[in-house]
Each structure stands twice: as C-alpha cells, then as structure tokens.
Amino acid sequence: KSEVAEIFWKFKVKVENESGLKIQILRSGNGTEYTFAKFNQFCEDSKIEHQLTNPYTPQKNGVSERKNRYILEMMRCMLYEKNLPKKFWAKAASIVVFLQNRLPTKALKDQTSFEVWYGYKPSLKFLKIFGCLCFTHVPQSKRDKLDKRALTGIFIGYSTVSKAYKTFQPLIEKVVVSRDVHFVEDEEWNWDNP
C-alpha cells in the first residue's frame, strides 16, 4: 500500500513540474489501496482533495473501467501470442499503456495523449513486437575474447530513463537494458527447449 502513495507522489511531482499546474482534486475508486492512512495523509499534506466513488458501483467510473478492461484484454493477447508466462503481465500492461498514449483518440479530436501533453507527435519508428526474440550486444568491457558477443533474450519493454530497450535474458533470469539490440520479431523464445 505504501507503494501506491510513493507512485502517486512521483506522478504528482512529474505532472506539476511538466505542466506548471497543481493537482487540486483526485478522484479514485473506493478500494483499500486508496483509502489507507498513509495515502490519505499524503493527500492532506499535499492539499489535494481526495474524492471516492461509491462502493460497489464500478459503473460510476465507466471510463476507467473500460480502459482497465482494454489493458487487460490487450495484455492477455500479447502474452498468449508469444507464449509468455503470466509473470510478464506487468511488462505487457506497461507496453499497452505506452502504446495507448501514442494512439489517436476521439476524446482528444484524433490527437494522441502524448501529442496533447508534449505538444508534438511521437515518433513510432523504434516500436518492436512485445515478446519477440532478440539478441542483446554484450559490450567488450563485459566479456573476454572467447565469450559470446550477444545474449539471446525476449523483448519486454522500453526504458523510461534512456533511449534503450528492456530485454529479459531467460538463461540467466535477468532484465538487461540496452540500445544495442537486434530483433527477430516473427520468432519467440522456446520455453520447452531453451
């Protein structure tokens, strides 16, 4: 639960710094993740009015319920398409939201959320297929002459702090962030015979 308050605090700082405006009201569901003492104290300290929807009335929050269903359905399709285990659900959800913010919507007169927020159209040249097979270059400083120059992995996302890709290395069970990645988008990792 403290993670929710921390995530919202980072979100609040980012929104206020980028927009120059202060968050005045937050409307959320009535779930325990939004009603615990630390989160309420955070809102009070930040002078944010916290409004809650009525309990057991998800229809009152129809827009976000539809968005959540869309995210869940896309996430399920992406995992199924590349035969990925459920443990990658959060990475798939992150990609869905990333893509959603770069797709036009009627609510914004056929502009993207990204375009409205930043004032320019996003580039989509770097997009890759989630879950595809990829090969991440191993820098010379991290290998000797006889080591592999690339590690086989699975594409799981984009770095939020640099122009790089996130790949999961199944043989060593690690996530690697690198800009030097070769993608084989029509292939997937074989979990039965690595």
Side-chain angles (χ1 to χ4, degrees):
K1 290 183 181 179
S2 63
E3 291 174 17
V4 173
E6 186 177 323
I7 289 168
F8 186 71
W9 181 81
K10 288 179 181 177
F11 171 76
K12 175 190 174 299
V13 170
K14 181 176 174 64
V15 167
E16 290 180 354
N17 285 344
E18 289 183 10
S19 70
L21 303 171
K22 290 188 92 41
I23 296 174
Q24 296 176 344
I25 299 174
L26 169 69
R27 183 172 296 145
S28 69
N30 215 332
T32 56
E33 68 270 25
Y34 299 114
T35 58
F36 66 99
K38 190 171 182 177
F39 189 75
N40 289 333
Q41 187 63 49
F42 168 78
C43 288
E44 194 175 309
D45 293 346
S46 302
K47 295 183 176 39
I48 296 173
E49 180 185 337
H50 186 197
Q51 299 176 348
L52 299 170
T53 59
N54 295 324
Y56 310 108
T57 55
Q59 64 274 20
K60 293 282 187 185
N61 207 4
V63 173
S64 54
E65 291 295 330
R66 285 190 300 278
K67 283 278 191 208
N68 287 344
R69 190 178 79 218
Y70 175 83
I71 292 168
L72 180 64
E73 289 174 0
M74 288 299 297
M75 179 178 67
R76 189 181 304 121
C77 289
M78 290 165 56
L79 293 173
Y80 178 76
E81 177 65 25
K82 291 297 185 179
N83 295 313
L84 292 172
K86 290 178 185 176
K87 71 179 182 179
F88 291 105
W89 73 267
K91 302 295 185 193
S94 179
I95 292 281
V96 172
V97 172
F98 182 86
L99 293 172
Q100 243 184 359
N101 288 333
R102 285 153 180 81
L103 293 172
T105 174
K106 286 182 184 177
L108 298 174
K109 298 181 178 137
D110 292 325
Q111 290 184 304
T112 67
S113 300
F114 182 97
E115 188 176 355
V116 169
W117 185 258
Y118 293 105
Y120 63 93
K121 288 185 183 284
S123 170
L124 304 176
K125 294 177 182 176
F126 62 91
L127 293 180
K128 302 297 177 191
I129 295 175
F130 177 79
C132 73
L133 191 65
C134 61
F135 299 91
T136 305
H137 176 72
V138 179
Q140 193 169 358
S141 60
K142 293 191 174 193
R143 61 180 160 84
D144 65 29
K145 291 179 183 178
L146 300 177
D147 285 340
K148 291 181 179 179
R149 292 184 176 195
L151 293 174
T152 308
I154 302 165
F155 168 64
I156 58 168
Y158 307 97
S159 171
T160 57
V161 294
S162 63
K163 289 186 175 183
Y165 298 100
K166 290 182 186 176
T167 63
F168 176 74
Q169 311 294 315
L171 298 177
I172 57 175
E173 294 280 320
K174 285 179 95 177
V175 174
V176 174
V177 177
S178 175
R179 67 180 184 92
D180 299 318
V181 183
H182 175 74
F183 296 92
V184 186
E185 293 185 87
D186 58 343
E187 293 201 24
E188 62 194 54
W189 178 258
N190 185 346
W191 293 94
D192 298 327
N193 187 17

